Amino acid sequence: MKRDGRSFDHRTLETIRLMAVERVRDGEAPSAVVASYGFSRTAIYKWLAAACKPGVGLRAFTPGQRPDGRAA
């Protein structure tokens, strides 16, 4: 069985991203962290970049909705 993020709901994905970024900030290797969650290696670097941006960051939002929560 293949594991990927498409089977998770938005809230779960948000929690995974937040936990992964926190683990990297605590000193774990990014490749080891993302491998433990079953995502691609490039995903962690996108999450780390998003975590540094003010505003939206790693929040989950519904497709068709702006990151600030308003309807598109």
Side-chain angles (χ1 to χ4, degrees):
M1 184 170 116
K2 199 173 193 181
R3 280 193 319 179
D4 62 19
R6 292 177 287 188
S7 61
F8 297 122
D9 63 283
H10 289 288
R11 197 56 53 186
T12 303
L13 287 172
E14 179 180 345
T15 304
I16 289 171
R17 289 190 296 262
L18 292 170
M19 288 189 314
V21 167
E22 191 63 34
R23 286 175 59 184
V24 171
R25 288 180 177 166
D26 286 342
E28 285 189 65
S31 57
V33 171
V34 79
S36 70
Y37 290 113
F39 289 89
S40 69
R41 186 180 55 82
T42 57
I44 190 71
Y45 296 105
K46 291 177 184 178
W47 300 344
L48 291 169
C52 293
K53 293 180 183 176
V56 177
L58 298 171
R59 280 192 10 226
F61 58 93
T62 306
Q65 183 182 37
R66 291 180 180 160
D68 59 7
R70 297 182 294 158

